[in-house]
Amino acid sequence: MTIPTDLTRDDALRILREEVATLVALPGEPGYERCVPWNVAAPVTPAAVVLATSAEDVAGTVRFAAAHGFTVTVQATGHGAVGVGADTILVLTAAMKHCEVDSLNRTARVGAGARWQDVIDVAAPHGLAPLCGSSPGVGVVGFLTGGGIGPLVRTVGLSSDYVRAFDVVTGEGRLLRATPDENADLFWGLRGGKATLGIVTAVEIDLPPIPEFYGGAVYFDGADTAAVLHAWRSWSVELPETVNTSIAVQQLPPLSGVPEPLAGRMTVAVRYTAVGDFAEAERLLAPMRAVATPVMDTVGVLPYAAIGAVHADPVDPMPTNEDQALLSELPAEAVDALLAVAGPGSGSPQVIVDLRLLGGALVREPQHRSAFCHRDAAFSLAVIGAPTPENAAMVAEHARAVTGAVAPWATGGQMPNFAPSYDPARPARAYAPDTLHWLAALADRYDPSRVLATGQVVRT
Ligand SMILES: Cc1cc2nc3c(=O)[nH]c(=O)nc-3n(C[C@H](O)[C@H](O)[C@H](O)COP(=O)(O)OP(=O)(O)OC[C@H]3O[C@@H](n4cnc5c(N)ncnc54)[C@H](O)[C@@H]3O)c2cc1C
C-alpha cells in the first residue's frame, strides 16, 4: 500500500475504506453503532470501526494503522470491554463467527467472532463439550486468551489448555500460526496474555466428550444467606474433583427473563455441576439442599447444551462494574467479613457477589505451559454491579470494599478475564513477575511499533 504522508486524519481513514474489502464506519456513519459493547458502561468511541470478515481485513487494518499513527484494538462481543479512545481503530470480529466441528477427531475450528453458544450449537449434538464459561454469550477467543474458567473447571481444568492452534495477526500485520511446534512462544503467550501479542483470527480447540451433566442451581431466600454461605464453605472443600460448585449472593432486577422467585430481592444461588456418577452427585448435594428451604431448585441431569443454565448469567447488554480477588483459603472469618459487606442488611448495591471453588484439575500444569498464572488459588471472588451514571463511583468503591473485606485471605492475584481495566497495576496482579517479563518481551518482538499497545495489554 502506498499512502501519501500529508493526509488529514479523516482522509487517511477514508483510504482505509479502500484498502480493506469490508465495512469501515467512521463516527456517525451507519455501522459505527456496532461498536457499542455488551458492557454498555465502557466508553468505546474509536476513530473508526472495521467490521472484519477475514484475516486479511485484520492484517490490512493493522498495517494501515502502523503507517498512519493509529493504534488498533479488537472486540468480539464487548463482555470484557475497556474503553476505546479516538486514536484507536476498532477491529470488530463479530462477523467472523464460522465454526467447523470435526466430530471424529473431537476438535473445532472457530472464527474470532464466535460466541460459545455458536460452538455449542454445532458440537453438543455430537456429545462434545466446548469448554465455555458461565455465560455461553461470551466470545470464544476473548475467553480463551484470558485462560478461561468454566462451570466444570475442577473436572476438566483451564479451558485454554484445550487450545490446539491460533491463527493470529501480529502488530506488524503478519498472519502467523501458533501451535506447540510453530511460533511456540506466541502459543505460550496467547493462552492468558489476552490481546498483548496480536489479534487472533481463528482458534482450534479440543472438545471433550461430555454429552450430559448433573447440575443446575439451588436458590435460597436472602434471609438464609449466613447459614447457606457458612454451610457451603465447609461442605464445598470436601467435594471430589468430579464436582464443581459456586455460590452467589444475588440481587437480580425484576427484568424479563429473571424468574419471579429471584427477582427484586436478595437470594443465594448454590451452583452445582458434576460428571460421572450422577447418583453419587445427587447424594453429595443432599446436605446442601437441606440447609434451608429452597425457593427454586433447577438441579437435575441436563444435556451439555444447557450448561449456561447453571449460572443463568444475564444475556442482554448491561452496564457492568467488576472486581475480583483470588483467595488461598475461606475460613469462617472470611465468610463473616463477606456477610458484613454484602449480606442481608449490608446495603450492598451489587447484583452478584460470586464465590467459585477452584482446585482440582485447574491446579495441574498442562502438557504445554501457558502465560496463565494463579492456578493454585483455592477460590475466586467476583463482584458484579450494574452502575448507573449517578451511582457508578459508589458501586465501584463498594466493589473494592467487598474484595478488601477478604484481603487477609487473598493471594493478591487476579485472573486476566475478570475485572478488565486500564489500570497499569492490573497486569501485575494477573501475572507472576517472570510471566510479565516474557509477555512484554514478546510484545516488543511481535509488535515493535506498539500498534496494539491499547486496552488491557502487557507492555513495559
Ligand atoms: C456475564 C459474563 C460471564 C463471564 N463468565 C466468565 C467465566 O465463567 N469464566 C471466565 O474465565 N470469564 C468469564 N467472563 C469474562 C470473559 O471471559 C471476558 O470478559 C472475555 O474477555 C470476554 O471476551 P469477549 O470476546 O466476549 O469480549 P470482548 O469485550 O469483545 O473482548 C474482551 C477482550 O478479549 C480480548 N480479545 C477479544 N477478541 C480477541 C481477538 N480476536 N484476539 C486477541 N484478543 C482478543 C481483547 O483483550 C479484548 O479487549 C464473563 C464475563 C461476563 C460479562
Side-chain angles (χ1 to χ4, degrees), residues 45-265:
T45 55
V49 173
V50 175
L51 190 70
T53 55
S54 68
E56 289 70 34
D57 292 344
V58 178
T61 304
V62 171
R63 287 196 296 266
F64 170 89
H68 287 277
F70 290 96
T71 50
V72 178
T73 194
V74 59
Q75 182 175 298
T77 73
H79 276 79
V82 284
V84 179
D87 291 335
T88 299
I89 299 170
L90 179 70
V91 170
L92 212 57
T93 57
M96 299 169 67
K97 52 199 284 185
H98 54 274
C99 170
E100 297 141 33
V101 168
D102 177 343
S103 56
L104 217 58
N105 290 308
R106 297 179 182 157
T107 60
R109 180 174 165 83
V110 181
R115 298 168 186 261
W116 281 109
Q117 189 63 54
D118 298 317
V119 193
I120 291 171
D121 288 347
V122 188
H126 298 283
L128 301 175
L131 296 176
C132 59
S134 58
S135 166
V138 161
V140 174
V141 168
F143 177 85
L144 290 174
T145 50
I149 58 163
L152 293 173
V153 65
R154 287 166 43 78
T155 311
V156 297
L158 193 68
S159 295
S160 54
D161 294 346
Y162 290 74
V163 173
R164 299 168 72 94
F166 291 104
D167 291 349
V168 60
V169 170
T170 67
E172 293 176 297
R174 286 194 298 150
L175 178 61
L176 297 180
R177 190 165 166 81
T179 74
D181 305 314
E182 210 177 331
N183 300 304
D185 51 359
L186 278 178
F187 187 69
W188 170 85
L190 285 167
R191 290 170 301 138
K194 301 292 285 187
T196 299
L197 302 179
I199 297 181
V200 171
T201 57
V203 62
E204 291 165 23
I205 51 175
D206 282 323
L207 301 170
I210 307 175
E212 52 186 17
F213 64 101
Y214 180 81
V218 186
Y219 298 88
F220 297 96
D221 191 276
D224 297 319
T225 305
V228 175
L229 209 50
H230 274 291
W232 183 85
R233 179 192 80 81
S234 39
W235 165 80
S236 63
V237 291
E238 299 295 329
L239 294 172
E241 79 179 47
T242 48
V243 172
N244 300 263
T245 184
S246 66
I247 188 166
V249 179
Q250 304 187 144
Q251 301 186 92
L252 304 178
L255 296 176
S256 69
V258 176
E260 193 272 325
L262 310 181
R265 57 195 279 221

